[in-house]
mmCIF file of all heavy atoms in Angstrom:
data_model
loop_
_atom_site.group_PDB
_atom_site.id
_atom_site.type_symbol
_atom_site.label_atom_id
_atom_site.label_comp_id
_atom_site.label_asym_id
_atom_site.label_seq_id
_atom_site.Cartn_x
_atom_site.Cartn_y
_atom_site.Cartn_z
ATOM 1 N N VAL Y 509 70.771 292.404 111.838
ATOM 2 C CA VAL Y 509 69.344 292.609 112.101
ATOM 3 C C VAL Y 509 68.935 291.713 113.265
ATOM 4 O O VAL Y 509 69.530 290.670 113.508
ATOM 5 C CB VAL Y 509 68.485 292.284 110.852
ATOM 6 C CG1 VAL Y 509 68.760 293.267 109.734
ATOM 7 C CG2 VAL Y 509 68.738 290.842 110.388
ATOM 8 N N PRO Y 510 67.885 292.121 114.000
ATOM 9 C CA PRO Y 510 67.442 291.284 115.127
ATOM 10 C C PRO Y 510 66.602 290.102 114.683
ATOM 11 O O PRO Y 510 66.469 289.118 115.417
ATOM 12 C CB PRO Y 510 66.607 292.257 115.971
ATOM 13 C CG PRO Y 510 66.115 293.266 114.975
ATOM 14 C CD PRO Y 510 67.183 293.415 113.953
ATOM 15 N N ALA Y 511 66.013 290.193 113.465
ATOM 16 C CA ALA Y 511 65.136 289.115 113.005
ATOM 17 C C ALA Y 511 65.036 289.153 111.483
ATOM 18 O O ALA Y 511 65.305 290.170 110.848
ATOM 19 C CB ALA Y 511 63.745 289.245 113.625
ATOM 20 N N ALA Y 512 64.644 288.034 110.895
ATOM 21 C CA ALA Y 512 64.397 287.949 109.461
ATOM 22 C C ALA Y 512 63.156 287.113 109.245
ATOM 23 O O ALA Y 512 62.970 286.065 109.867
ATOM 24 C CB ALA Y 512 65.597 287.322 108.736
ATOM 25 N N GLU Y 513 62.306 287.591 108.320
ATOM 26 C CA GLU Y 513 61.017 286.959 108.115
ATOM 27 C C GLU Y 513 60.999 286.071 106.882
ATOM 28 O O GLU Y 513 61.919 286.088 106.063
ATOM 29 C CB GLU Y 513 59.937 288.038 108.000
ATOM 30 C CG GLU Y 513 59.806 288.907 109.239
ATOM 31 C CD GLU Y 513 58.772 289.992 109.075
ATOM 32 O OE1 GLU Y 513 58.261 290.143 107.936
ATOM 33 O OE2 GLU Y 513 58.469 290.676 110.066
ATOM 34 N N GLU Y 514 59.918 285.319 106.772
ATOM 35 C CA GLU Y 514 59.743 284.386 105.662
ATOM 36 C C GLU Y 514 59.940 285.094 104.319
ATOM 37 O O GLU Y 514 59.427 286.186 104.092
ATOM 38 C CB GLU Y 514 58.351 283.764 105.714
ATOM 39 C CG GLU Y 514 58.111 282.713 104.638
ATOM 40 C CD GLU Y 514 56.757 282.024 104.796
ATOM 41 O OE1 GLU Y 514 56.196 282.117 105.912
ATOM 42 O OE2 GLU Y 514 56.293 281.426 103.807
ATOM 43 N N GLY Y 515 60.740 284.459 103.441
ATOM 44 C CA GLY Y 515 60.991 284.995 102.112
ATOM 45 C C GLY Y 515 62.242 285.839 102.017
ATOM 46 O O GLY Y 515 62.693 286.169 100.918
ATOM 47 N N GLU Y 516 62.834 286.214 103.141
ATOM 48 C CA GLU Y 516 64.018 287.071 103.123
ATOM 49 C C GLU Y 516 65.288 286.232 103.046
ATOM 50 O O GLU Y 516 65.397 285.179 103.679
ATOM 51 C CB GLU Y 516 64.056 287.964 104.366
ATOM 52 C CG GLU Y 516 62.954 288.991 104.411
ATOM 53 C CD GLU Y 516 63.051 289.904 105.611
ATOM 54 O OE1 GLU Y 516 63.579 289.460 106.662
ATOM 55 O OE2 GLU Y 516 62.602 291.059 105.518
ATOM 56 N N ARG Y 517 66.258 286.770 102.252
ATOM 57 C CA ARG Y 517 67.581 286.144 102.216
ATOM 58 C C ARG Y 517 68.349 286.593 103.452
ATOM 59 O O ARG Y 517 68.310 287.761 103.838
ATOM 60 C CB ARG Y 517 68.342 286.518 100.948
ATOM 61 C CG ARG Y 517 67.673 286.040 99.666
ATOM 62 C CD ARG Y 517 68.677 285.914 98.534
ATOM 63 N NE ARG Y 517 69.673 284.896 98.798
ATOM 64 C CZ ARG Y 517 69.509 283.585 98.558
ATOM 65 N NH1 ARG Y 517 68.364 283.124 98.062
ATOM 66 N NH2 ARG Y 517 70.485 282.729 98.833
ATOM 67 N N VAL Y 518 69.087 285.690 104.037
ATOM 68 C CA VAL Y 518 69.685 285.976 105.329
ATOM 69 C C VAL Y 518 71.007 285.231 105.469
ATOM 70 O O VAL Y 518 71.243 284.220 104.800
ATOM 71 C CB VAL Y 518 68.702 285.571 106.455
ATOM 72 C CG1 VAL Y 518 68.550 284.063 106.506
ATOM 73 C CG2 VAL Y 518 69.128 286.124 107.809
ATOM 74 N N GLU Y 519 71.871 285.768 106.316
ATOM 75 C CA GLU Y 519 73.100 285.093 106.718
ATOM 76 C C GLU Y 519 72.988 284.776 108.205
ATOM 77 O O GLU Y 519 72.701 285.667 109.018
ATOM 78 C CB GLU Y 519 74.327 285.967 106.468
ATOM 79 C CG GLU Y 519 74.613 286.205 104.991
ATOM 80 C CD GLU Y 519 75.894 286.993 104.776
ATOM 81 O OE1 GLU Y 519 76.304 287.767 105.678
ATOM 82 O OE2 GLU Y 519 76.476 286.847 103.700
ATOM 83 N N VAL Y 520 73.192 283.521 108.532
ATOM 84 C CA VAL Y 520 73.027 283.068 109.913
ATOM 85 C C VAL Y 520 74.382 282.589 110.432
ATOM 86 O O VAL Y 520 75.046 281.753 109.810
ATOM 87 C CB VAL Y 520 71.998 281.925 110.002
ATOM 88 C CG1 VAL Y 520 71.798 281.511 111.456
ATOM 89 C CG2 VAL Y 520 70.674 282.335 109.370
#
Side-chain angles (χ1 to χ4, degrees):
V509 294
E513 299 178 353
E514 183 175 342
E516 293 183 331
R517 297 203 65 84
V518 69
E519 293 184 334
V520 182

